[in-house]
Structures are given as C-alpha cells and as structure tokens.
Amino acid sequence: MNFEQHIQGTKPVLVIYYAEWCHLCQLMIPVLQRINEMKGDMISLFLVKIDENKRFAKKYNVFALPTLILLHQSQVLWRKNGIAPESEILEQLNLRAA
C-alpha cells in the first residue's frame, strides 16, 4: 500500500518523517514501534524517509526532523516537530479514539 492509500484508510495513521542520519529520529522510532504494538488495532504507523520522499514532506510542510503527524482520511489531526514523549503521543491517540 502506498502513502496516499494508507492515509485515506479507515484507521488514523501516525506518520513519522525521519532520516537515517537524524539522531533524534532514531530515538523516536523505538517509541513509535512500542506505541504501534500497543495501539496497532486502532492506528497504523507509517515511516517516511525524508531523503527519499521529498514530495510528501513538501505536501505536509515538513521542515524539521523528526516530525510526527497524525492523519485520518488525509486530514491532519495532530502534529509535533521534534521529540514527543510516549505519553503525549498516547494522549493524542486516545483523544482521537474517543
């Protein structure tokens, strides 16, 4: 499934824009994987390598790494530039599921 199909699905999608060379990104990925294990039935996780997907970065005005965006049916529900604590991400997911 490609990015556009993924974000138009029925489940909210948590997207992380990252780069291999970005230290903060590498710190966020295990956090997001844990969240995906806990909440995978209610959300999808999609990782976007910024160096390979500049078009999607431009579409969502991604200028900092990491950038987290929670989308549902292509609509932005929440956005965070930089590191986000697991608790903040879970809070946002729980708000959207309510």
Side-chain angles (χ1 to χ4, degrees):
M1 184 180 300
N2 70 31
F3 182 77
E4 293 294 334
Q5 291 171 324
H6 209 80
I7 64 171
Q8 292 173 10
T10 56
K11 284 202 268 187
V13 179
L14 182 58
V15 180
I16 177 172
Y17 289 89
Y18 77 103
E20 295 288 330
W21 46 262
C22 171
H23 179 67
L24 295 177
C25 299
Q26 299 310 314
L27 294 174
M28 281 304 308
I29 290 174
V31 172
L32 297 175
Q33 289 170 333
R34 274 194 311 275
I35 289 170
N36 192 48
E37 289 172 9
M38 288 187 281
K39 300 287 186 175
D41 58 329
M42 72 179 263
I43 62 138
S44 294
L45 178 62
F46 202 88
L47 285 73
V48 178
K49 286 185 180 180
I50 194 95
D51 294 327
E52 298 171 10
N53 297 286
K54 293 183 190 309
R55 183 182 84 176
F56 298 126
K58 184 176 180 180
K59 179 177 180 176
Y60 289 98
N61 297 315
V62 175
F63 299 108
L65 295 179
T67 293
L68 301 170
I69 302 176
L70 182 62
L71 299 161
H72 188 241
Q73 297 178 334
S74 300
Q75 299 297 314
V76 176
L77 302 177
W78 174 76
R79 177 186 185 109
K80 177 79 172 190
N81 296 330
I83 293 286
E86 185 174 317
S87 59
E88 180 180 350
I89 298 167
L90 289 170
E91 179 182 340
Q92 290 300 319
L93 294 175
N94 291 333
L95 284 173
R96 306 308 172 196

